Amino acid sequence: MACYVFNFNLHDLNLVEIGKQKCTPLYSFGPFIRNEYIFHYVISGKGFCSMGHDIQESSVQKPDQPSGGPTAHEVRAGEGFLIEPHTKHIYNADLNDPWHYIWVVFSGASAPHLLRACGLSKTNIVYHPKDTTIQTSQNIRQPLMNILEHPDASEAAVMVNFYLFLDQLIQNAAHPIIESSNKGMFRQHYVNLACQYVSTYYATIQSLDEIAVYCNISQSHLTRLFRESFHMSLQEYCPAEYSKRTSGYNKSVYFRNFMGCRIPE
């Protein structure tokens, strides 16, 4: 197994982690929850994944078995599966043909739009390709292999390859989710404005209204768009950004004073 973590802190699209693993029969991971998106691309073999608040350890049900819990999704070579932020999940390799996969952990305002173009959403977690040939699968995963082979490359080189991987997924998606381009651009525009403002004035922001005025949008509307993109509220994001950029300096005072946020335990 290989795994690498990055600390780019990008707002639009941010690669957090990448790894590769060739699993043993019935290898299982979870139940687990992360704050970012996770996508596994299956190179060979197959396995099963399940999502939901009521899943238990070793509770993944194969599709042909009676299911008393969450539905298990079978994922084969050339396919992939998405885990959305804050989603409890568990997955395991097949007994006879265990999977070999590459996973990526990522976040960012553009992530929902890009994933929908891949045909992925909270209700459509399995990526289905139009073309399942070996050559196409190699083309899709090659940008990720480039990152794995050169994890110390520049931020630009790593992110270019990550974008190329997503582009390959989009080009080969069997069932892309079509959304209004105006709607996607509208959401991303305001979310990016808010991120830029917080990034610049993180130490002096006093209220959400201040950010909304800068973006020329109502506070409630901005909050909704932000949560759709980041799966966290703007009120949670601002202190987190401050803490990240100051290494926790004077963090207690900030959490007490900023918009009534309480200090996390």
Side-chain angles (χ1 to χ4, degrees):
M1 183 177 74
C3 180
Y4 303 98
V5 177
F6 305 101
N7 189 31
F8 297 151
N9 295 323
L10 303 172
H11 294 299
D12 192 52
L13 185 66
N14 185 49
L15 181 61
V16 176
E17 179 182 302
I18 185 171
K20 181 176 68 169
Q21 183 169 7
K22 190 169 186 178
C23 298
T24 55
L26 296 179
Y27 168 83
S28 179
F29 182 86
F32 197 66
I33 298 174
R34 287 198 64 153
N35 297 326
E36 304 89 2
Y37 291 95
I38 313 169
F39 181 76
H40 290 69
Y41 182 76
V42 181
I43 299 171
S44 63
K46 67 178 181 179
F48 305 88
C49 63
S50 186
M51 319 286 169
H53 294 296
D54 54 343
I55 62 174
Q56 303 294 326
E57 188 171 0
S58 303
S59 68
V60 175
Q61 299 282 341
K62 295 183 180 180
D64 59 349
Q65 292 177 333
S67 176
T71 301
H73 301 268
E74 181 176 292
V75 189
R76 296 174 174 270
E79 299 178 335
F81 63 96
L82 174 71
I83 301 166
E84 291 226 336
H86 316 300
T87 302
K88 191 175 183 182
H89 57 274
I90 185 171
Y91 47 90
N92 65 261
D94 184 64
L95 171 63
N96 300 312
D97 189 16
W99 52 16
H100 178 195
Y101 53 62
I102 302 175
W103 78 85
V104 286
V105 180
F106 59 98
S107 61
S110 293
H113 171 71
L114 292 168
L115 290 169
R116 280 190 287 271
C118 296
L120 295 165
S121 69
K122 193 168 188 176
T123 55
N124 297 285
I125 68 169
V126 178
Y127 173 78
H128 296 289
K130 289 186 295 188
D131 184 352
T132 59
T133 62
I134 294 175
Q135 184 60 55
T136 298
S137 179
Q138 289 176 341
N139 291 341
I140 290 175
R141 68 175 183 265
Q142 186 56 52
L144 297 186
M145 294 303 298
N146 293 342
I147 299 174
L148 287 165
E149 291 167 4
H150 305 282
D152 296 327
S154 68
E155 175 184 303
V158 170
M159 290 307 301
V160 162
N161 276 288
F162 187 43
Y163 272 107
L164 286 173
F165 166 67
L166 291 173
D167 180 63
Q168 289 287 340
L169 288 181
I170 291 169
Q171 295 302 321
N172 198 41
H175 308 292
I177 300 171
I178 307 300
E179 65 174 356
S180 166
S181 59
N182 289 334
K183 179 181 178 182
M185 291 174 62
F186 172 85
R187 175 176 54 247
Q188 189 169 335
H189 169 71
Y190 287 110
V191 169
N192 285 344
L193 276 180
C195 288
Q196 290 168 11
Y197 189 85
V198 174
S199 178
T200 303
Y201 301 105
Y202 60 88
T204 60
I205 296 173
Q206 296 297 314
S207 69
L208 289 180
D209 281 332
E210 178 183 338
I211 305 171
V213 168
Y214 173 79
C215 296
N216 195 27
I217 189 174
S218 72
Q219 177 183 319
S220 60
H221 199 173
L222 178 61
T223 299
R224 180 175 62 81
L225 294 177
F226 203 88
R227 186 174 286 280
E228 286 176 0
S229 294
F230 282 103
H231 291 265
M232 67 177 352
S233 70
L234 188 55
Q235 188 173 7
E236 294 168 325
Y237 176 83
C238 291
E241 185 71 7
Y242 176 88
S243 178
K244 179 175 65 180
R245 291 177 175 274
T246 60
S247 300
Y249 173 75
N250 214 17
K251 185 166 90 172
S252 296
V253 173
Y254 187 81
F255 273 102
R256 283 200 302 269
N257 295 337
F258 182 73
M259 297 184 294
C261 291
R262 73 179 185 86
I263 305 171
E265 300 296 334

